[in-house]
Amino acid sequence: MNRLNQIENILFILGALMMVVGSAANVLFQSWAPYVFAVGALAFSLMQMKQRYEGTNLTIRRLRRIMICSDVLFVLSAFFMFADHVKVLPVQYLLYVQYIHNNWVVLLLIAAVLQLYSTHRLGTELEQEAKKR
């Protein structure tokens, strides 16, 4: 896999920290929370997508696709966090409460579980591939 340089690595870590701060601030009803979370999700996702795998191992390719799906879910959770705060989607109140209100948490949870699984498995698969060489 391609490695990130030092600046990209800092952006990656900062993005992850901004997502944590944004989601914690949202729980505390801060109005700036969606902005911090969205910037963090974009930075994290873009830096993770920048890491490419050029090999032929199907397991690593599958794990990379799972990571990209979780990145998309992180960005979607940022959109739903905005929709929760700003009411950007023109829907009736009952539909809003049923489908949008705090559902960003569900997307965030799914993305985090996928990210955790794929990161753990990807590390072991890359180590096994390096031993084979």
mmCIF file of all heavy atoms in Angstrom, residues 2 9 21 29 31 38 43 47 54-55 63 70 88 90-91 95 98 100 103-104 106-107 111-112 114 119:
data_model
loop_
_atom_site.group_PDB
_atom_site.id
_atom_site.type_symbol
_atom_site.label_atom_id
_atom_site.label_comp_id
_atom_site.label_asym_id
_atom_site.label_seq_id
_atom_site.Cartn_x
_atom_site.Cartn_y
_atom_site.Cartn_z
ATOM 1 N N ASN A 2 0.370 2.261 -0.643
ATOM 2 C CA ASN A 2 1.101 3.521 -0.648
ATOM 3 C C ASN A 2 1.102 4.124 0.745
ATOM 4 O O ASN A 2 0.093 4.118 1.438
ATOM 5 C CB ASN A 2 0.456 4.511 -1.619
ATOM 6 C CG ASN A 2 0.527 4.043 -3.048
ATOM 7 O OD1 ASN A 2 1.248 3.111 -3.357
ATOM 8 N ND2 ASN A 2 -0.227 4.683 -3.906
ATOM 9 N N ASN A 9 -0.123 12.403 6.759
ATOM 10 C CA ASN A 9 -0.356 11.647 7.987
ATOM 11 C C ASN A 9 -0.920 12.550 9.083
ATOM 12 O O ASN A 9 -1.809 12.148 9.834
ATOM 13 C CB ASN A 9 0.943 10.978 8.438
ATOM 14 C CG ASN A 9 0.694 9.819 9.356
ATOM 15 O OD1 ASN A 9 -0.405 9.297 9.439
ATOM 16 N ND2 ASN A 9 1.737 9.403 10.046
ATOM 17 N N VAL A 21 -14.102 15.060 18.109
ATOM 18 C CA VAL A 21 -14.501 16.315 18.759
ATOM 19 C C VAL A 21 -15.874 16.758 18.258
ATOM 20 O O VAL A 21 -16.730 17.175 19.042
ATOM 21 C CB VAL A 21 -13.434 17.417 18.520
ATOM 22 C CG1 VAL A 21 -13.945 18.777 18.923
ATOM 23 C CG2 VAL A 21 -12.167 17.081 19.276
ATOM 24 N N PHE A 29 -24.782 19.557 22.260
ATOM 25 C CA PHE A 29 -25.623 20.555 21.586
ATOM 26 C C PHE A 29 -24.867 21.816 21.193
ATOM 27 O O PHE A 29 -25.373 22.927 21.344
ATOM 28 C CB PHE A 29 -26.848 20.914 22.442
ATOM 29 C CG PHE A 29 -27.668 19.723 22.814
ATOM 30 C CD1 PHE A 29 -27.671 19.243 24.118
ATOM 31 C CD2 PHE A 29 -28.430 19.074 21.861
ATOM 32 C CE1 PHE A 29 -28.426 18.132 24.460
ATOM 33 C CE2 PHE A 29 -29.180 17.956 22.198
ATOM 34 C CZ PHE A 29 -29.191 17.486 23.501
ATOM 35 N N SER A 31 -23.473 24.294 18.326
ATOM 36 C CA SER A 31 -23.899 24.591 16.956
ATOM 37 C C SER A 31 -22.772 24.411 15.934
ATOM 38 O O SER A 31 -23.038 24.221 14.756
ATOM 39 C CB SER A 31 -24.436 26.016 16.885
ATOM 40 O OG SER A 31 -23.421 26.930 17.247
ATOM 41 N N ALA A 38 -17.689 17.492 9.801
ATOM 42 C CA ALA A 38 -17.648 17.369 8.345
ATOM 43 C C ALA A 38 -16.240 17.577 7.805
ATOM 44 O O ALA A 38 -15.779 16.823 6.930
ATOM 45 C CB ALA A 38 -18.613 18.359 7.705
ATOM 46 N N ALA A 43 -11.342 15.160 5.604
ATOM 47 C CA ALA A 43 -9.886 15.001 5.676
ATOM 48 C C ALA A 43 -9.512 13.538 5.883
ATOM 49 O O ALA A 43 -8.629 13.001 5.202
ATOM 50 C CB ALA A 43 -9.311 15.867 6.791
ATOM 51 N N MET A 47 -7.638 11.294 2.884
ATOM 52 C CA MET A 47 -6.299 10.754 3.122
ATOM 53 C C MET A 47 -6.312 9.227 3.081
ATOM 54 O O MET A 47 -5.354 8.606 2.622
ATOM 55 C CB MET A 47 -5.752 11.227 4.467
ATOM 56 C CG MET A 47 -5.395 12.693 4.508
ATOM 57 S SD MET A 47 -4.203 13.143 3.238
ATOM 58 C CE MET A 47 -5.176 14.191 2.195
ATOM 59 N N GLU A 54 -1.753 -1.604 -4.910
ATOM 60 C CA GLU A 54 -1.477 -1.940 -6.300
ATOM 61 C C GLU A 54 -1.284 -3.444 -6.505
ATOM 62 O O GLU A 54 -1.046 -3.881 -7.619
ATOM 63 C CB GLU A 54 -0.212 -1.204 -6.773
ATOM 64 C CG GLU A 54 -0.222 0.290 -6.537
ATOM 65 C CD GLU A 54 -1.301 1.023 -7.324
ATOM 66 O OE1 GLU A 54 -1.688 0.540 -8.400
ATOM 67 O OE2 GLU A 54 -1.750 2.076 -6.841
ATOM 68 N N GLY A 55 -1.378 -4.224 -5.460
ATOM 69 C CA GLY A 55 -1.113 -5.659 -5.566
ATOM 70 C C GLY A 55 -2.300 -6.441 -6.095
ATOM 71 O O GLY A 55 -3.305 -5.883 -6.547
ATOM 72 N N LEU A 63 -10.819 -5.682 1.557
ATOM 73 C CA LEU A 63 -10.732 -4.856 2.765
ATOM 74 C C LEU A 63 -10.632 -3.372 2.419
ATOM 75 O O LEU A 63 -11.191 -2.523 3.113
ATOM 76 C CB LEU A 63 -9.550 -5.300 3.616
ATOM 77 C CG LEU A 63 -9.714 -6.659 4.293
ATOM 78 C CD1 LEU A 63 -8.401 -7.123 4.886
ATOM 79 C CD2 LEU A 63 -10.795 -6.606 5.346
ATOM 80 N N SER A 70 -16.825 2.573 4.337
ATOM 81 C CA SER A 70 -16.920 3.236 5.641
ATOM 82 C C SER A 70 -16.599 4.718 5.523
ATOM 83 O O SER A 70 -17.198 5.543 6.222
ATOM 84 C CB SER A 70 -16.005 2.567 6.666
ATOM 85 O OG SER A 70 -14.660 2.870 6.422
ATOM 86 N N VAL A 88 -31.962 20.942 6.622
ATOM 87 C CA VAL A 88 -31.751 21.251 5.212
ATOM 88 C C VAL A 88 -32.701 20.498 4.286
ATOM 89 O O VAL A 88 -32.915 20.919 3.154
ATOM 90 C CB VAL A 88 -30.293 20.966 4.780
ATOM 91 C CG1 VAL A 88 -29.341 21.882 5.464
ATOM 92 C CG2 VAL A 88 -29.936 19.520 5.002
ATOM 93 N N PRO A 90 -36.313 19.435 3.078
ATOM 94 C CA PRO A 90 -37.685 19.920 3.251
ATOM 95 C C PRO A 90 -38.675 18.773 3.435
ATOM 96 O O PRO A 90 -39.329 18.336 2.492
ATOM 97 C CB PRO A 90 -37.948 20.679 1.948
ATOM 98 C CG PRO A 90 -37.087 19.980 0.946
ATOM 99 C CD PRO A 90 -35.884 19.513 1.692
ATOM 100 N N VAL A 91 -38.788 18.275 4.633
ATOM 101 C CA VAL A 91 -39.730 17.191 4.925
ATOM 102 C C VAL A 91 -40.613 17.606 6.091
ATOM 103 O O VAL A 91 -40.290 18.510 6.861
ATOM 104 C CB VAL A 91 -38.984 15.874 5.274
ATOM 105 C CG1 VAL A 91 -38.225 15.354 4.083
ATOM 106 C CG2 VAL A 91 -38.064 16.057 6.450
ATOM 107 N N LEU A 95 -41.911 12.921 9.433
ATOM 108 C CA LEU A 95 -40.915 12.236 8.615
ATOM 109 C C LEU A 95 -39.504 12.596 9.060
ATOM 110 O O LEU A 95 -38.607 11.761 9.066
ATOM 111 C CB LEU A 95 -41.092 12.598 7.144
ATOM 112 C CG LEU A 95 -42.312 12.002 6.446
ATOM 113 C CD1 LEU A 95 -42.420 12.532 5.033
ATOM 114 C CD2 LEU A 95 -42.242 10.500 6.454
ATOM 115 N N GLN A 98 -38.779 10.639 12.210
ATOM 116 C CA GLN A 98 -38.676 9.210 11.955
ATOM 117 C C GLN A 98 -37.413 8.839 11.185
ATOM 118 O O GLN A 98 -36.783 7.831 11.481
ATOM 119 C CB GLN A 98 -39.901 8.749 11.183
ATOM 120 C CG GLN A 98 -39.962 7.254 10.993
ATOM 121 C CD GLN A 98 -41.262 6.843 10.323
ATOM 122 O OE1 GLN A 98 -42.050 7.679 9.914
ATOM 123 N NE2 GLN A 98 -41.465 5.558 10.224
ATOM 124 N N ILE A 100 -34.642 11.175 10.004
ATOM 125 C CA ILE A 100 -33.428 11.987 10.010
ATOM 126 C C ILE A 100 -32.913 12.250 11.419
ATOM 127 O O ILE A 100 -31.711 12.150 11.663
ATOM 128 C CB ILE A 100 -33.676 13.329 9.284
ATOM 129 C CG1 ILE A 100 -34.021 13.051 7.828
ATOM 130 C CG2 ILE A 100 -32.457 14.231 9.380
ATOM 131 C CD1 ILE A 100 -34.484 14.240 7.072
ATOM 132 N N ASN A 103 -30.186 10.111 13.284
ATOM 133 C CA ASN A 103 -29.790 8.897 12.572
ATOM 134 C C ASN A 103 -28.355 8.949 12.081
ATOM 135 O O ASN A 103 -27.829 7.955 11.607
ATOM 136 C CB ASN A 103 -30.742 8.612 11.407
ATOM 137 C CG ASN A 103 -32.037 7.994 11.882
ATOM 138 O OD1 ASN A 103 -32.131 7.548 13.018
ATOM 139 N ND2 ASN A 103 -33.030 7.968 11.024
ATOM 140 N N TRP A 104 -27.712 10.096 12.200
ATOM 141 C CA TRP A 104 -26.295 10.185 11.854
ATOM 142 C C TRP A 104 -25.482 9.282 12.772
ATOM 143 O O TRP A 104 -24.428 8.769 12.364
ATOM 144 C CB TRP A 104 -25.803 11.628 11.930
ATOM 145 C CG TRP A 104 -25.835 12.215 13.293
ATOM 146 C CD1 TRP A 104 -26.864 12.881 13.877
ATOM 147 C CD2 TRP A 104 -24.793 12.175 14.262
ATOM 148 N NE1 TRP A 104 -26.527 13.258 15.146
ATOM 149 C CE2 TRP A 104 -25.256 12.838 15.408
ATOM 150 C CE3 TRP A 104 -23.512 11.645 14.266
ATOM 151 C CZ2 TRP A 104 -24.483 12.989 16.553
ATOM 152 C CZ3 TRP A 104 -22.747 11.796 15.407
ATOM 153 C CH2 TRP A 104 -23.232 12.460 16.534
ATOM 154 N N VAL A 106 -26.307 6.298 13.796
ATOM 155 C CA VAL A 106 -26.341 4.935 13.264
ATOM 156 C C VAL A 106 -25.316 4.784 12.139
ATOM 157 O O VAL A 106 -24.557 3.801 12.103
ATOM 158 C CB VAL A 106 -27.761 4.586 12.768
ATOM 159 C CG1 VAL A 106 -27.795 3.220 12.109
ATOM 160 C CG2 VAL A 106 -28.751 4.656 13.917
ATOM 161 N N LEU A 107 -25.283 5.750 11.231
ATOM 162 C CA LEU A 107 -24.302 5.705 10.148
ATOM 163 C C LEU A 107 -22.877 5.758 10.689
ATOM 164 O O LEU A 107 -21.987 5.057 10.202
ATOM 165 C CB LEU A 107 -24.530 6.851 9.173
ATOM 166 C CG LEU A 107 -25.778 6.764 8.316
ATOM 167 C CD1 LEU A 107 -25.942 8.034 7.506
ATOM 168 C CD2 LEU A 107 -25.715 5.561 7.426
ATOM 169 N N ALA A 111 -20.072 2.857 10.219
ATOM 170 C CA ALA A 111 -18.790 3.223 9.613
ATOM 171 C C ALA A 111 -17.630 2.898 10.543
ATOM 172 O O ALA A 111 -16.591 2.396 10.102
ATOM 173 C CB ALA A 111 -18.787 4.703 9.251
ATOM 174 N N ALA A 112 -17.795 3.176 11.829
ATOM 175 C CA ALA A 112 -16.720 2.911 12.781
ATOM 176 C C ALA A 112 -16.446 1.415 12.919
ATOM 177 O O ALA A 112 -15.281 0.994 12.982
ATOM 178 C CB ALA A 112 -17.065 3.515 14.135
ATOM 179 N N LEU A 114 -17.066 -0.939 10.624
ATOM 180 C CA LEU A 114 -16.423 -1.364 9.381
ATOM 181 C C LEU A 114 -14.959 -0.933 9.337
ATOM 182 O O LEU A 114 -14.083 -1.686 8.903
ATOM 183 C CB LEU A 114 -17.169 -0.805 8.176
ATOM 184 C CG LEU A 114 -18.519 -1.421 7.855
ATOM 185 C CD1 LEU A 114 -19.177 -0.673 6.707
ATOM 186 C CD2 LEU A 114 -18.390 -2.890 7.536
ATOM 187 N N THR A 119 -9.412 -2.228 9.285
ATOM 188 C CA THR A 119 -8.072 -1.800 9.689
ATOM 189 C C THR A 119 -7.319 -2.932 10.373
ATOM 190 O O THR A 119 -6.141 -3.173 10.092
ATOM 191 C CB THR A 119 -8.158 -0.585 10.625
ATOM 192 O OG1 THR A 119 -8.853 0.459 9.954
ATOM 193 C CG2 THR A 119 -6.794 -0.097 11.029
#
